[in-house]
Amino acid sequence: MSLGGKTAIVTGAGSGINLAFARLLLRKQCNVVFADLALRPEAKEVVAAHSSLSRSPARAVFQETNVREWPQLERMFHTASKEFGGADIVCPGAGVFEPPFSSFWRPPGSPSSRDPPASSRYATLDINVTHPIRTTQLAIAHFLSRRSSSPSSPPSSSSSQPTSPLSTSTTQIHLSNPTHPLRPLSHIIHISSIAGQITPLLCPLYTASKHAVSGFVRSLAPLDTHHGIRVTAVAPGVIDTPIWRDDPEKLRLVDQSEGGDEWVSAEEVAEVMGALVDGREEVEVVSSSVATAGGVSGGGTGLSSGDSREGRRRIRVEGGLILEVSKGRARKVEQFMDEGPSGAGNTVGNMGIADQEILEMLGSGKWGT
């Protein structure tokens, strides 16, 4: 499936990983509906450069969207249909990283929380769990409806299609020729996290949400072979985006000294996402990274230090696949007996500071609803 002429809906496209993914899609001549509350200046520039007034081969449109409101999620699909005839790729990527306004450690009723006790809801879970689930429901219905109204046969495999490499600064992903006779017609790609494998004390709601996304993606694996709807996910490490940079309380936990933690770029994650939605059947992941010392502290994190997991192997791209993305490294996250994240781009060296602060707060007797 060439991305040229296709259309994607990307929630949270106003910044971060989702903006990087939207840019990649536009470069590959795929139209994009930017669905977000607002656009950062860099995202506004991208949309303007791909407006109906531009000469770009792909167009971008902005649809103001509060992902907590289901009617607004439905409106994204109406916009895609009106502007481009429908969507082929959906990325419910909008998410929050346990912000003060909806944090387990700032319960409803506390000064910084905006989760009203009477609402019986956490905004973090509405955004990180309910929104991707509801968007996936809408996407599946949208894909099936398009096929029933305009039936067409799936694109055939082509042996003339050469293997083509996608590369980031240190990670290469080689895409082989498709081997399955029926290539998927539609894609839904989610953003999980290494927090879907580990259990940091700092962010219980975020951690629960990413475990939920990973399980949700795996549960929909059969849609690939039975209905040509491929549901996959990426599980990024510590990404250099506003979700960290704009939050001083979290940024202080990243060891930015020489030899400390390393950032993963949003573009590295976007490249892997692109590989998961371009319709190829196999990817060969090449990694050149070696784990650095340190890790995320706290009980049950499962992170070790100083170990090397360098290697290369070819894996099948199929529904339910989750690829972890760290610095110069992408690997398959296994459902059982997974080795867990480690190495550069997966560590938050000062996490122990937050752990200690939380434990002391609880010990003071001043915490509660």
Side-chain angles (χ1 to χ4, degrees):
M1 170 180 160
S2 169
L3 293 176
K6 304 296 182 181
T7 295
I9 297 172
V10 183
T11 70
S15 65
I17 293 171
N18 299 298
L19 174 57
F21 182 48
R23 280 175 166 153
L24 180 141
L25 293 171
L26 289 165
R27 287 199 306 270
K28 294 179 179 293
Q29 302 183 15
C30 176
N31 304 311
V32 180
V33 176
F34 282 59
D36 209 332
L37 282 171
L39 300 178
R40 292 173 70 94
E42 58 268 31
K44 289 181 179 179
E45 292 178 5
V46 173
V47 172
H50 295 85
S51 71
S52 58
L53 301 178
S54 71
R55 295 185 178 182
S56 170
R59 286 204 300 124
V61 296
F62 170 56
Q63 176 63 62
E64 183 178 349
T65 305
N66 180 348
V67 297
R68 299 179 66 188
E69 301 294 334
W70 289 10
Q72 295 191 35
L73 297 179
E74 294 178 21
R75 192 170 61 187
M76 303 184 308
F77 291 89
H78 296 321
T79 298
S81 296
K82 177 183 176 182
E83 296 286 340
F84 307 113
D88 309 281
I89 300 164
V90 174
C91 174
V96 292
F97 182 24
E98 199 107 1
F101 66 80
S102 183
S103 167
F104 182 84
W105 300 116
R106 292 174 171 85
S110 60
S112 59
S113 175
R114 297 207 301 265
D115 291 330
S119 72
S120 304
R121 311 188 69 85
Y122 293 106
T124 290
L125 298 184
D126 282 347
I127 297 167
N128 288 10
V129 181
T130 305
H131 137 251
I133 289 174
R134 180 56 181 153
T135 301
T136 298
Q137 288 180 320
L138 294 170
I140 292 169
H142 177 79
F143 296 150
L144 296 178
S145 175
R146 288 188 73 197
R147 293 178 195 176
S148 63
S149 61
S150 302
S152 61
S153 59
S156 60
S157 302
S158 171
S159 60
S160 63
Q161 202 170 17
T163 298
S164 60
L166 293 177
S167 63
T168 63
S169 57
T170 54
T171 301
Q172 289 184 325
I173 300 175
H174 293 272
L175 309 177
S176 69
N177 292 330
T179 58
H180 195 279
L182 295 178
R183 294 164 64 191
L185 295 174
S186 309
H187 292 267
I188 305 171
I189 182 162
H190 290 262
I191 299 180
S192 183
S193 167
I194 59 170
Q197 306 168 61
I198 59 177
T199 54
L201 180 63
L202 172 68
C203 48
L205 294 181
Y206 180 78
T207 298
S209 73
K210 295 307 180 179
H211 277 76
V213 167
S214 294
F216 179 67
V217 167
R218 289 194 168 103
S219 73
L220 298 180
L223 298 185
D224 190 341
T225 55
H226 289 276
H227 291 287
I229 299 174
R230 178 169 289 175
V231 185
T232 57
V234 289
V238 183
I239 313 302
D240 190 1
T241 66
I243 208 169
W244 284 96
R245 293 289 187 183
D246 289 356
D247 187 338
E249 285 297 302
K250 292 189 176 70
L251 184 60
R252 70 192 174 107
L253 304 178
V254 179
D255 181 359
Q256 299 187 72
S257 65
E258 185 176 354
D261 301 323
E262 294 190 52
W263 294 104
V264 183
S265 72
E267 289 71 26
E268 286 181 270
V269 182
E271 288 283 351
V272 176
M273 294 171 72
L276 290 176
V277 301
D278 75 352
R280 308 302 180 91
E281 293 300 320
E282 291 184 343
V283 295
E284 185 179 75
V285 180
V286 181
S287 171
S288 60
S289 70
V290 178
T292 56
V296 178
S297 63
T301 62
L303 292 187
S304 56
S305 62
D307 59 330
S308 171
R309 292 173 183 171
E310 202 169 7
R312 160 189 284 191
R313 65 172 175 148
R314 190 181 298 275
I315 61 173
R316 183 175 179 79
V317 179
E318 57 190 350
L321 175 64
I322 300 173
L323 291 182
E324 176 189 301
V325 186
S326 53
K327 185 66 175 178
R329 188 171 189 258
R331 71 173 188 92
K332 180 180 179 180
V333 180
E334 301 291 349
Q335 185 170 1
F336 302 108
M337 303 299 290
D338 185 75
E339 65 186 22
S342 69
N346 280 334
T347 64
V348 183
N350 296 326
M351 187 69 84
I353 295 174
D355 291 354
Q356 188 61 37
E357 290 174 349
I358 291 168
L359 295 174
E360 290 177 357
M361 174 182 65
L362 296 177
S364 70
K366 298 179 180 179
W367 184 85
T369 59

